[in-house]
Amino acid sequence: MDLGYNNISDEGAGNSSLLSLRLSGNKIGRNGGLDFAGMLRVNMTLQELELGECDLEMHGMIGLSTALKNNTTLRSVDVSRALLFSLLEEWAVHFSKMLPVNSSLVELHLGKMGLTDTGMERLSEGLKLNHRLRYLDLRNRVSRDGALHLSKVLKGNSPLEVIDLSSNRIEDPGAEYLSEAICCEGSVLRLSVCRNNISTSGLLSLAGALTNSPTLTHIYIWGNHLEEPVCQAFKELLNTGRLTPEQTDVRPYEVDGHVFLAELFHHLRKHLFFTDVNEQNA
């Protein structure tokens, strides 16, 4: 059931026996978040819950993370753009404690949460002990240090296959940390680093990761500094077939002997694993 953007408030939020419930864009607020946390303690049917842009507050986030410690059916959760007015990032600590004990989540969307490097460090502690999560959405305020913490997670035999780091600020050092981790372990299949202020050295390191990684298939780089060496490298990846146009968001073209990259409107597909699993079951 998709009831997104329907002006539903906390009074309309309640229990459900559905497999999938999407409520993004409704202002359920603190009370609605707590109601859903209570529901998840007893509901054993729901597999997908989308509460992005629902004005969730800290108490609701903590309640949801506590409920997810015991819930064994949810496979995909989206709590993006909660209203969290705290510099301590307590929600990241609670989600970090949830990740090692949750046994069902394969997809977690934490975009637009104001996550910083400090929160990423806390979250990484739980990610290192999680053996289930495959899709992680981290569209936030992470910089090079946060990318370093994430790279350490990837080096620890992480199951993560899809990582969305769009609209952060990891810059060249962050891209290089991730490239090294991807080459070492070879677990990541799809990576988005769009709009991260990455320039030539960082993007070339990612191009090298594509060449050397046995698993990485999709990469999205638009919104960074696409200078000619980068354009040449991605042209070569596309010409050799290491990348196909469907696996990236850029396309090379030439003007007066110089190579440039144009944007293709290919992006990470949301609900990737939840949708795929249910299509296969069907």
Side-chain angles (χ1 to χ4, degrees):
M1 178 177 286
D2 189 342
L3 295 173
Y5 302 92
N6 266 290
N7 202 32
I8 297 173
S9 66
D10 60 334
E11 294 181 359
N15 207 334
S16 173
S17 60
L18 301 171
L19 292 179
S20 174
L21 180 60
R22 298 182 179 179
L23 283 169
S24 286
N26 293 294
K27 307 307 178 184
I28 67 174
R30 171 178 175 171
N31 292 336
L34 291 172
D35 287 341
F36 272 102
M39 176 269 286
L40 292 178
R41 294 177 183 273
V42 296
N43 183 292
M44 293 300 157
T45 57
L46 196 65
Q47 296 182 26
E48 178 188 35
L49 179 61
E50 186 178 305
L51 297 175
E53 301 181 44
C54 281
D55 290 356
L56 298 176
E57 297 182 4
M58 187 67 72
H59 288 86
M61 289 291 293
I62 293 174
L64 287 168
S65 67
T66 302
L68 287 171
K69 289 182 178 180
N70 299 312
N71 185 285
T72 58
T73 54
L74 266 175
R75 298 177 57 81
S76 176
V77 172
D78 184 348
V79 288
S80 298
R81 214 226 66 179
L83 300 182
L84 305 169
F85 302 106
S86 170
L87 298 177
L88 300 178
E89 299 183 82
E90 296 97 328
W91 71 269
V93 175
H94 286 271
F95 268 72
S96 180
K97 292 179 179 178
M98 173 273 293
L99 287 167
V101 296
N102 179 278
S103 61
S104 61
L105 276 182
V106 295
E107 189 165 327
L108 181 59
H109 295 270
L110 300 173
K112 304 178 184 178
M113 304 283 283
L115 183 72
T116 66
D117 293 338
T118 300
M120 189 68 237
E121 183 177 10
R122 300 284 83 78
L123 195 64
S124 294
E125 293 170 0
L127 289 169
K128 289 175 182 176
L129 301 174
N130 179 278
H131 304 292
R132 179 78 173 174
L133 198 66
R134 297 164 65 190
Y135 188 136
L136 183 58
D137 173 3
L138 291 172
R139 296 165 293 132
N140 280 280
R141 293 160 52 193
V142 175
S143 73
R144 63 184 70 186
D145 291 339
L148 176 59
H149 295 307
L150 182 59
S151 71
K152 292 177 180 178
V153 173
L154 297 178
K155 288 180 179 179
N157 198 27
S158 169
L160 285 173
E161 296 178 1
V162 180
I163 301 173
D164 191 350
L165 278 169
S166 303
S167 302
N168 286 284
R169 197 175 180 84
I170 68 170
E171 301 179 323
D172 289 343
E176 290 163 6
Y177 295 143
L178 291 174
S179 299
E180 180 187 356
I182 290 169
C183 290
C184 285
E185 296 302 323
S187 60
V188 177
L189 301 178
R190 307 183 187 206
L191 174 67
S192 177
V193 291
C194 299
R195 301 175 298 279
N196 264 277
N197 199 35
I198 307 171
S199 57
T200 299
S201 64
L203 291 169
L204 288 179
S205 71
L206 289 168
L210 269 167
T211 302
N212 298 313
S213 169
T215 57
L216 185 63
T217 57
H218 294 64
I219 189 163
Y220 306 91
I221 63 168
W222 187 257
N224 294 293
H225 303 291
L226 306 179
E227 298 171 346
E228 189 157 8
V230 176
C231 301
Q232 290 280 8
F234 275 82
K235 177 185 177 182
E236 182 68 17
L237 288 168
L238 286 158
N239 285 346
T240 60
R242 180 60 184 87
L243 270 181
T244 67
E246 292 74 27
Q247 295 171 326
T248 187
D249 58 348
V250 292
R251 177 180 61 83
Y253 66 96
E254 292 191 25
V255 176
D256 296 332
H258 296 282
V259 180
F260 300 91
L261 292 175
E263 182 181 13
L264 295 177
F265 292 98
H266 298 161
H267 306 288
L268 282 180
R269 183 158 58 91
K270 203 171 182 182
H271 313 297
L272 187 69
F273 289 117
F274 179 81
T275 304
D276 286 352
V277 167
N278 282 277
E279 286 176 352
Q280 290 168 9
N281 289 343

